[in-house]
Amino acid sequence: MKNSIKVLLVVCVSAISWYACLPPSIDIDVKPAEPALVIASQAIGNNGLLVGLTRSYSPLDTTGQQDTIGQDLLSKVLVENAIVTVSYQNNVDTLVMVTPGVYLNLAIPMIDGEAYTIRASDPSTGLAVWAVTNLQPHRNFDTVYPVIK
């Protein structure tokens, strides 16, 4: 009985000490980041380019207090009716919107080592972005062996 009282006393003193060491909570006012356009691109075969175009959003935005992705969030993030172009070798080609946030052109030659510049502008927000990359040479496998575990 004495041991259980000692243990209880030690637990109570420890809990009170631990609680007393907790600092008071501080409210911090952090403004959400400004939205920006985000480009993701993928070469398709030897004659195509697929571009994903979205708007960034801040997780600190108070309107996004939900755990699921709803249609309102998708409409805020996916960019519709943007002007998306790619330039290479003194050519400029326009990509067409397949679905909100996805733009495609299947008539762009993919040339190894060539520099491609993607430009996108969102008329609804006035935001614009561009990116430049060099197409890396295509690699073929000599032999592929399956591994079954």
Side-chain angles (χ1 to χ4, degrees), residues 39-96:
I39 294 177
S41 63
Q42 177 68 47
I44 300 176
N46 293 327
N47 290 321
L49 182 66
L50 177 78
V51 171
L53 186 62
T54 59
R55 288 181 206 94
S56 65
Y57 70 95
S58 175
L60 299 175
D61 188 1
T62 56
T63 60
Q65 298 290 335
Q66 53 189 353
D67 292 334
T68 60
I69 297 176
Q71 192 62 36
D72 57 333
L73 178 61
L74 289 176
S75 64
K76 184 171 26 170
V77 172
L78 299 175
V79 180
E80 286 189 66
N81 304 317
I83 300 164
V84 181
T85 62
V86 61
S87 55
Y88 59 95
Q89 292 186 338
N90 296 322
N91 297 313
V92 178
D93 289 331
T94 302
L95 285 74
V96 295

Side-chain angles (χ1 to χ4, degrees), residues 1-148:
M1 182 75 171
K2 281 187 172 184
N3 284 340
S4 62
I5 292 175
K6 286 181 183 177
V7 169
L8 182 62
L9 183 61
V10 168
V11 168
C12 288
V13 168
S14 298
I16 291 170
S17 298
W18 181 76
Y19 181 75
C21 291
L22 290 177
S25 61
I26 300 171
D27 289 332
I28 299 175
D29 184 24
V30 178
K31 295 191 186 325
E34 292 296 319
L37 292 182
V38 179
I39 294 177
S41 63
Q42 177 68 47
I44 300 176
N46 293 327
N47 290 321
L49 182 66
L50 177 78
V51 171
L53 186 62
T54 59
R55 288 181 206 94
S56 65
Y57 70 95
S58 175
L60 299 175
D61 188 1
T62 56
T63 60
Q65 298 290 335
Q66 53 189 353
D67 292 334
T68 60
I69 297 176
Q71 192 62 36
D72 57 333
L73 178 61
L74 289 176
S75 64
K76 184 171 26 170
V77 172
L78 299 175
V79 180
E80 286 189 66
N81 304 317
I83 300 164
V84 181
T85 62
V86 61
S87 55
Y88 59 95
Q89 292 186 338
N90 296 322
N91 297 313
V92 178
D93 289 331
T94 302
L95 285 74
V96 295
M97 187 178 81
V98 178
T99 189
V102 179
Y103 296 81
L104 177 69
N105 187 323
L106 294 175
I108 299 172
M110 295 290 120
I111 304 163
D112 289 348
E114 182 63 37
Y116 290 85
T117 302
I118 300 171
R119 297 182 193 282
S121 62
D122 180 5
S124 67
T125 63
L127 296 173
V129 67
W130 60 274
V132 179
T133 189
N134 287 347
L135 186 67
Q136 299 301 308
H138 184 76
R139 301 286 183 217
N140 291 323
F141 294 106
D142 292 330
T143 308
V144 176
Y145 296 105
V147 176
I148 301 173

